[in-house]
Amino acid sequence: MKLSTKGRYGVTAMYDLAMHSGKGPISLKSVAERQLISEHYLEQLMGQLRKAGLVKSTRGAQGGYMLTKRPEEITVGDIVRVMEGPIAPVDCLLSENSSSCAKASRCVTRGVWQKVGESIAKVLDEITLADLCLEDQRINHQ
Amino acid sequence: MKLSTKGRYGVTAMYDLAMHSGKGPISLKSVAERQLISEHYLEQLMGQLRKAGLVKSTRGAQGGYMLTKRPEEITVGDIVRVMEGPIAPVDCLLSENSSSCAKASRCVTRGVWQKVGESIAKVLDEITLADLCLEDQRINHQ
DNA sequence: ACTTTTTCCGACGGATTTGCTAGTATAAGA
DNA sequence: TCTTATACTAGCAAATCCGTCGGAAAAAGT
């Protein structure tokens, strides 16, 4: 029931980009240094976020990454889904159709996992990057 | 963000025991057959639940497992904590003290994971094995 | 042109977890 | 006492996770 570092680092990096949004491309090197994440590993994660359309990149010197939308328009749920896949504590909640267990409609425990998944998604989808930036103001600059 | 089969099978097995509670020891073989779980693998999981005090076992012929408490007194959260460890999407939420990241008190994303963890725990701690048995009545015996 | 900075890409490797199997210990009943 | 049913324990193969490494491609400055 743990989030992998992919999800954690992904959110942290996107938060860092949000904190510097409007200042042109931000290099991964600077993100990695500020957030104490391996730069090479972070490259892999940003590749996923780029393919998913949450960030755009500029190659070459003075290049880096930028958000494709405003911080208010990107939720933590968006990021976690890209990094970790669908938010569902068990696989049988996906693919209503075929491969799931035959007695899904009569499965008692399934209801439990469904409630858990919905509860997680609700929390993650209500928090935007802008919220995190505000929180930073509150916590770190009193 | 997935539950492993440990948690899933653990809850399913405990639910099966609850469905047969009051009928003496239930053999793992019968649980495994009804719930389509590998019997030997299930033994491992029940060992953890036994050490945690949620079930008691009787060895030898006619032996098996029984709940140590009434189904109303055991929540899904109890079982998941035994099988998967503390309900926390990231480790830095545990051990407030030393090993966690130095800037925990000023970490913005930490608040997100804390909310997620609390949300999951709330769902799991509100559902008891008795609730699952009632749900079975409703779904499978109309 | 050349150098530097940066993103991009693929492969590899150690550590951990997962899901399962084989074999042993224990107790009940014939 | 012997057989059989059952809990218990140790270990193992495959997958996943969490990075590392080496380099190629692109853009900017000199």
Side-chain angles (χ1 to χ4, degrees), chain B residues 4-6 9 38 40-41 43-44 59-62:
Chain B
S4 72
T5 57
K6 285 185 191 175
Y9 290 173
S38 149
H40 285 292
Y41 184 44
E43 281 175 5
Q44 268 180 246
R59 295 177 84 155
Q62 315 307 323

Side-chain angles (χ1 to χ4, degrees), chain B residues 86-135:
Chain B
I87 296 175
V90 302
D91 283 331
C92 80
L93 293 174
L94 317 171
S95 71
E96 294 288 334
N97 40 18
S98 54
S99 62
S100 62
C101 79
K103 47 182 184 174
S105 64
R106 289 169 174 267
C107 178
V108 171
T109 56
R110 183 187 160 98
V112 176
W113 312 132
Q114 189 160 5
K115 282 182 189 170
V116 171
E118 287 165 0
S119 166
I120 297 172
K122 182 167 157 50
V123 172
L124 294 182
D125 288 338
E126 278 178 354
I127 303 177
T128 69
L129 290 180
D131 293 330
L132 295 185
C133 293
L134 281 175
E135 187 70 3

